[in-house]
Amino acid sequence: MSRMPEESQPFFHVLHFEQLDSTNAWLRKMAAGGVPEGTVIWADRQTAGRGRHGRAWYSTGNWGLWFSMVLRPTFPSQNAGWLSIAAGVGVASSLHRLSGLGPESAVRPELKWPNDVLLGGRKVCGILCETSISGSALDWAVVGIGLNRLVPPEGFPEDIRLTAAALEEFVLESDMPSAQELVSSILAGVYGAYRRLSDGGADALRLQAEALMGSMLGKEVSCATPAGTLSGIAMGLDSHGALVLRDARGVEFSVNAGDVSLGTGRFIQEEL
Ligand code: BTN
């Protein structure tokens, strides 16, 4: 398979470790201490990998890619929601470039708003975006990416066995990108999406993101939020990257954060 060129020259400086507790936890401290935008921490193993909503992220071996980057966006904090969407778009575009998984292939990467990337309806990549905000300004954002490259030798743990995926399940062995190639390509993809967001605003990114959310848009979804479960037809993304739902009376409203599930069970509901 021929590989497509990278989107743009990355500006990242990567620090690679064998083992850390959590790359996000380390980089949060470093970001608060002033490290420049583009600093990346990559660990082969995490002893305390963190997921969204305080959940653990299974990353105790080097079957996957566990890394985080510091961004220092100049746009207002009300648009912070776009950062994890930009990361998801970057991951999907990288899987397309490196592994040919795109709009024309049988299995396409899908974005499960706000920050999961799915292959075959299962989660191959999770994104944890943590920010520090002063008033309307974003001081820093740490965007952590966990991508299952291989199936763990002992298989995925029982609680995620049905919902987790690994890239190797969808790519011929001869076409499998190395960990290094994937990290470089994902960083370039995220950089491209982040630059488009910073330079041109959210419109271009919204189109890309909504194209990757195709199997969810126009369908009845439930969204588990801290305030309770909200349901409606998924219409798209608003100007802040929030999910727009339309209720039974035709009234549209935005949801800023939550775990989405489709009534059909395509997106399997996660615990809050
Ligand atoms: C989620 O889907 O809940 C988000 C998972 C994010 C996992 C990555 S792995 C690298 C970085 N370090 C962490 O501790 N978490 C993120």
Side-chain angles (χ1 to χ4, degrees):
M1 191 199 72
S2 64
R3 290 180 176 168
M4 291 178 228
E6 296 296 353
E7 263 180 47
S8 54
Q9 196 54 39
F11 71 145
F12 295 104
H13 175 60
V14 181
L15 306 166
H16 191 179
F17 297 83
E18 272 181 23
Q19 180 171 302
L20 291 175
D21 49 3
S22 154
T23 57
N24 260 51
W26 272 84
L27 212 44
R28 280 179 63 116
K29 287 183 225 149
M30 291 169 70
V35 291
E37 179 170 67
T39 304
V40 174
I41 291 200
W42 172 15
D44 290 339
R45 293 184 297 280
Q46 298 187 117
T47 54
R50 295 166 48 204
R52 294 169 61 221
H53 305 302
R55 292 183 282 236
W57 179 257
Y58 183 56
S59 49
T60 49
N62 66 354
W63 61 83
L65 304 168
W66 328 121
F67 63 98
S68 308
M69 69 195 81
V70 176
L71 299 175
R72 295 188 181 276
T74 52
F75 50 76
S77 58
Q78 59 177 1
N79 288 338
W82 282 110
L83 286 170
S84 50
I85 297 170
V89 166
V91 170
S93 67
S94 159
L95 295 180
H96 187 202
R97 274 197 309 279
L98 275 186
S99 305
L101 299 168
E104 70 293 337
S105 59
V107 175
R108 297 176 247 173
E110 291 175 278
L111 205 59
K112 182 189 162 201
W113 180 90
N115 40 14
D116 294 343
V117 180
L118 311 184
L119 284 177
R122 286 178 288 133
K123 178 164 168 173
V124 72
C125 174
I127 293 160
L128 178 64
C129 182
E130 301 183 280
T131 52
S132 166
I133 292 172
S134 303
S136 63
L138 268 166
D139 299 327
W140 50 258
V142 167
V143 180
I145 296 185
L147 184 136
N148 301 316
R149 182 172 160 270
L150 308 173
V151 177
E154 65 282 14
F156 287 108
E158 197 59 42
D159 57 335
I160 56 169
R161 194 152 289 171
L162 295 177
T163 55
L167 180 60
E168 71 167 346
E169 297 175 67
F170 303 93
V171 176
L172 289 175
E173 204 179 333
S174 54
D175 287 338
M176 261 306 276
S178 68
Q180 179 67 60
E181 284 172 320
L182 267 169
V183 170
S184 304
S185 171
I186 290 171
L187 288 175
V190 174
Y191 177 73
Y194 174 58
R195 280 268 59 90
R196 283 195 293 286
L197 180 60
S198 303
D199 297 344
D203 282 346
L205 192 60
R206 183 196 288 123
L207 290 179
Q208 265 185 300
E210 288 180 347
L212 290 165
M213 291 165 60
S215 62
M216 172 176 153
L217 297 185
K219 308 234 170 71
E220 176 89 35
V221 301
S222 299
C223 191
T225 77
T229 299
L230 303 167
S231 301
I233 308 283
M235 304 303 294
L237 299 174
D238 75 7
S239 59
H240 304 307
L243 181 66
V244 179
L245 298 183
R246 179 183 287 169
D247 72 14
R249 292 165 299 147
V251 177
E252 294 193 354
F253 59 100
S254 293
V255 183
N256 290 312
D259 282 330
V260 174
S261 60
L262 269 187
T264 59
R266 179 76 196 274
F267 295 113
I268 296 164
Q269 175 114 24
E270 296 169 290
E271 290 164 37
L272 260 183

